[in-house]
Amino acid sequence: IGTLRDAALAIASGRPMPPLDAMPPAEFVPVFGAFARMATDLSTSRSALEEAQRRTAAVLREVASGVVAIRHDGTVLLANPRAEMLLGATLTPGTLVIGSGARARSLGEWQAVAGQVREFMERGDRAIEAFDVQLASPSRRLMSGTLDAEGTGTERQVRASLTRLPGGAVLTLDDVTELASAQRVLAWGEMARQVAHEIKNPLTPIRLGVQHLRRAWRDGRADYGDILDTNVARILGEIDRLDEIARAFSRYGSAPAERAPGETVDVARVARDVVGLERMGEDDVTWLLTINGETIADGESQVAPMLAIARADELREVLLNLLENARLADARTVHLMLTCEAERIVLVVQDDGGGMPADVLPQIFQPHFSTRTSGSGLGLAISRRQLEGWGGSISVASEPGQGTTLTVSLLRA
């Protein structure tokens, strides 16, 4: 029994198993045989595990992603060289990276992700969580974790992912700086192409108008005054169109932080003003306005306010754009309906125009897409961006020959 005990303790501590007695008592021969087989199996399994660990370590050394495994006590279980390079820190097993004893100065850029990792491990309600973070450029970071004069302000865009595992979590880091840069270049290229395309359209009639004026002047036309008035009016109209294109691209390209926040707006009042403006036109379109099931005619002033989060001028532009799109779709009747819900105010623009096929609907909110040959193709794209900036949304339903329905949802104030 003592021999078996010593052998079991040796195996448990990772030492080689000591030799067992050559001639155990007859009653213990089966026990010694079973113990020897168990020891052989354990040795084989340990060798296989060590080989798997060596393979895993080799993969982690070469993989393009940074990998850090953290125990629940906030210490590092393992970290590959890529993670240490991205974070600018030496993360040896056992290093405390989360908790009051973690030394932030010696952990390089770890503090940029530490809060997210700590919250993820403490919360415990998600198995996976992804987030983006900006880290100092590894190529310009000094060994101390600070930046030199040349590298100050240089940052890398890193996509991080946390995965929960028994006893801790794994953090993976992927440097997507080049990908993000390529996407920005493509986006700017697409924007430049759209701007060039839109500017080219007004420039053509301006050029033709100027050429017509020069030719009429050279020919000494008796009606030169009329030709001048006509072409100047056309040129001024195209200049106004260029101005609108420039302002539309400016609004579409503005960053979310640059846009004014939403405020309390009486949606019913804005809707009445917009419909009233459309009713002043000379077309044959019938404009209907319904607020909470009640039809509103021209001149009616007793309408209860419907307060939502938006901006009055921009909401006016959105509704004008939607109603104009309906008119240009050859609609004979356009109906704007407003209803109050528990947390939302819903505006529905319904027309009986030509409608759109199903394959077109997913594209109508994309910039530079239009079902007409005129226009910038930015109206609905800008409208959606403005609405989403206020916490609202817009959706569309349409069938060829059955008209189109656009639904706008705004947060109630």
Side-chain angles (χ1 to χ4, degrees):
I1 292 174
T3 300
L4 291 176
R5 176 181 176 278
D6 292 341
L9 292 174
I11 293 175
S13 62
R15 302 194 308 272
M17 186 183 74
L20 300 177
D21 287 347
M23 296 294 294
E27 296 87 347
F28 277 85
V29 170
V31 178
F32 273 56
F35 190 92
R37 290 193 297 273
M38 179 197 71
T40 302
D41 291 342
L42 284 174
S43 178
T44 302
S45 299
R46 178 174 293 163
S47 297
L49 178 60
E50 290 173 350
E51 179 62 24
Q53 288 176 334
R54 284 192 292 270
R55 287 197 301 269
T56 301
V59 170
L60 289 175
R61 280 195 303 271
E62 302 300 329
V63 73
S65 299
V67 179
V68 183
I70 307 106
R71 300 184 182 92
H72 269 309
D73 61 4
T75 59
V76 173
L77 177 62
L78 63 88
N80 68 345
R82 179 63 173 167
E84 293 183 331
M85 183 182 71
L86 287 172
L87 295 169
T90 302
L91 302 174
T92 56
T95 302
L96 182 65
V97 292
I98 297 178
S100 57
R103 294 175 297 174
R105 288 188 178 180
S106 64
L107 294 178
E109 294 292 297
W110 174 261
Q111 57 266 30
V113 299
Q116 199 85 16
V117 175
R118 182 188 303 108
E119 182 182 351
F120 177 79
M121 296 182 69
E122 291 176 352
R123 197 171 58 239
D125 58 346
R126 290 186 181 180
I128 299 176
E129 183 174 304
F131 60 97
D132 291 331
V133 64
Q134 289 189 336
L135 304 177
S137 175
S139 61
R140 296 184 176 181
R141 190 189 296 114
L142 297 178
M143 294 301 294
S144 63
T146 61
L147 291 176
D148 58 14
E150 181 186 7
T152 301
T154 303
E155 293 183 330
R156 309 291 293 178
Q157 185 71 28
V158 176
R159 188 162 296 155
S161 176
L162 284 162
T163 304
R164 195 174 308 281
L165 294 177
V170 172
L171 171 70
T172 59
L173 303 167
D174 292 292
D175 189 345
V176 295
T177 305
E178 301 302 328
L179 175 61
S181 177
Q183 289 175 339
R184 284 194 296 270
V185 170
L186 288 175
W188 277 112
E190 176 64 16
M191 183 65 76
R193 186 185 68 82
Q194 293 174 13
V195 170
H197 176 82
E198 294 302 328
I199 289 178
K200 182 179 66 176
N201 290 336
L203 288 179
T204 299
I206 290 175
R207 183 179 65 253
L208 294 175
V210 172
Q211 290 173 348
H212 187 198
L213 285 173
R214 183 173 61 181
R215 187 168 59 252
W217 174 259
R218 287 175 177 175
D219 295 344
R221 295 275 297 268
D223 57 347
Y224 182 76
D226 294 337
I227 295 173
L228 178 64
D229 289 341
T230 301
N231 282 279
V232 167
R234 181 180 294 116
I235 290 171
L236 291 176
E238 295 301 330
I239 291 174
D240 290 340
R241 185 179 172 194
L242 280 172
D243 180 65
E244 173 57 29
I245 290 172
R247 287 189 288 112
F249 273 103
S250 177
R251 291 195 301 271
Y252 184 78
S254 62
E258 298 173 358
R259 301 176 202 141
E263 57 189 18
T264 301
V265 172
D266 185 355
V267 180
R269 181 173 182 176
V270 175
R272 289 176 55 213
D273 290 345
V274 171
V275 173
L277 181 64
E278 293 289 355
R279 285 171 174 168
M280 294 170 61
E282 297 179 353
D283 49 48
D284 297 328
V285 179
T286 300
W287 303 94
L288 302 177
L289 175 61
T290 303
I291 299 179
N292 283 330
E294 180 183 354
T295 301
I296 307 300
D298 270 343
E300 292 191 26
S301 58
Q302 300 301 321
V303 177
M306 301 178 71
L307 304 181
I309 301 300
R311 292 192 68 82
D313 292 343
E314 295 175 6
L315 180 60
R316 177 187 174 89
E317 290 183 11
V318 169
L319 293 181
L320 278 172
N321 181 54
L322 300 185
L323 297 183
E324 279 296 295
N325 284 347
R327 182 179 65 81
L328 294 171
D330 298 326
R332 296 296 86 197
T333 301
V334 181
H335 194 176
L336 175 57
M337 295 166 279
L338 279 67
T339 55
C340 274
E341 297 183 355
E343 298 180 355
R344 298 260 172 182
I345 290 180
V346 178
L347 304 89
V348 177
V349 178
Q350 190 175 62
D351 68 65
D352 58 356
M356 294 175 286
D359 60 336
V360 168
L361 297 182
Q363 305 177 64
I364 68 169
F365 296 111
Q366 297 177 7
H368 197 55
F369 178 82
S370 177
T371 57
R372 306 191 308 272
T373 55
S374 61
S376 66
L378 285 173
L380 288 176
I382 293 172
S383 296
R384 183 174 70 171
R385 179 164 292 194
Q386 288 173 330
L387 292 167
E388 290 177 349
W390 305 325
S393 63
I394 183 171
S395 60
V396 62
S398 184
E399 291 185 19
Q402 302 297 318
T404 300
T405 300
L406 284 154
T407 303
V408 173
S409 175
L410 294 170
L411 288 173
R412 291 188 66 176

